Amino acid sequence: PTVLENRFVVRDFGQGLSPKEVNYFFAMYGASDKRESNDYIGSWGLGAKASFAIVDSFTVTSFYKGKKTVYNLYIDETELGKIAKISEEDSNEPSGIELSLAVNSYEISRFVTEALDLIRHIKVKPIVKGIAKIPDYPKPILQGNSWRYFGDSHSKVIMGQISYPIDV
């Protein structure tokens, strides 16, 4: 997100999700298709719902088998997450999923900083648009397969390519 365009958008080019799969993965806590292998990040079924930690409403667009289907995911008055299908149309776009959410203007800087920190240890780097240059990160003093030590408060343990701070 930027001051001129406050939307955060993530797009992948996987196989997309059928309407049934959108409802399963985005409405069911614990729903995951990654439990059969340790090669994946996640498997707890929480990532698809993570946007609710920031906003009460966001959109998911599935590009699946020549169809583009847009859904609104929202927290209703009972404080439960709901899914509403907004539109469906034929599409020539590549298959995949797009997630879009609005970021409050006063949180954009923090959002960008934390997002860049999040992707820091991801092996397959995403294409990041809207930022002039992704910062160079300091090199660790020591490291192992699942940890990196920087000699200061920036030291992290890495689990599933996600970093968690070490309380030094």
Side-chain angles (χ1 to χ4, degrees):
T2 67
V3 174
L4 299 175
E5 177 55 60
N6 73 327
R7 299 208 68 73
F8 173 70
V9 180
V10 175
R11 172 82 155 93
D12 75 23
F13 297 95
Q15 65 186 20
L17 296 174
S18 70
K20 183 178 178 180
E21 290 169 323
V22 167
N23 280 294
Y24 176 72
F25 291 120
F26 284 93
M28 302 270 304
Y29 280 99
S32 177
D33 63 347
K34 299 177 182 176
R35 289 205 171 93
E36 301 302 318
S37 171
N38 288 331
D39 294 334
Y40 303 111
I41 297 172
S43 80
W44 294 98
L46 299 176
K49 294 88 173 168
S51 296
F52 284 130
I54 302 168
V55 294
D56 289 339
S57 175
F58 61 97
T59 61
V60 171
T61 304
S62 181
F63 301 90
Y64 179 76
K65 294 188 176 179
K67 295 278 185 196
K68 174 184 174 181
T69 310
V70 181
Y71 302 88
N72 181 34
L73 284 75
Y74 62 97
I75 302 291
D76 71 2
E77 61 280 351
T78 66
E79 298 188 9
L80 294 175
K82 302 284 186 182
I83 300 175
K85 183 174 164 182
I86 297 173
S87 66
E88 181 179 86
E89 61 186 59
D90 291 335
S91 174
N92 293 325
E93 291 193 52
S95 62
I97 292 288
E98 180 180 280
L99 183 141
S100 176
L101 60 95
V103 176
N104 288 324
S105 58
Y106 62 87
E107 292 182 334
I108 290 173
S109 178
R110 182 174 147 234
F111 188 95
V112 170
T113 299
E114 290 191 20
L116 290 174
D117 189 54
L118 178 73
I119 66 171
R120 179 178 180 178
H121 303 286
I122 303 263
K123 291 177 184 170
V124 178
K125 298 293 183 209
I127 298 167
V128 178
K129 297 181 180 180
I131 296 175
K133 181 181 183 294
I134 294 177
D136 294 324
Y137 296 110
K139 303 253 186 274
I141 296 169
L142 300 169
Q143 69 180 26
N145 289 334
S146 61
W147 58 274
R148 294 187 180 120
Y149 178 68
F150 296 90
D152 58 17
S153 62
H154 296 99
S155 296
K156 312 276 186 178
V157 63
I158 314 301
M159 294 174 54
Q161 299 180 44
I162 303 298
S163 67
Y164 300 92
I166 298 172
D167 184 359
V168 292

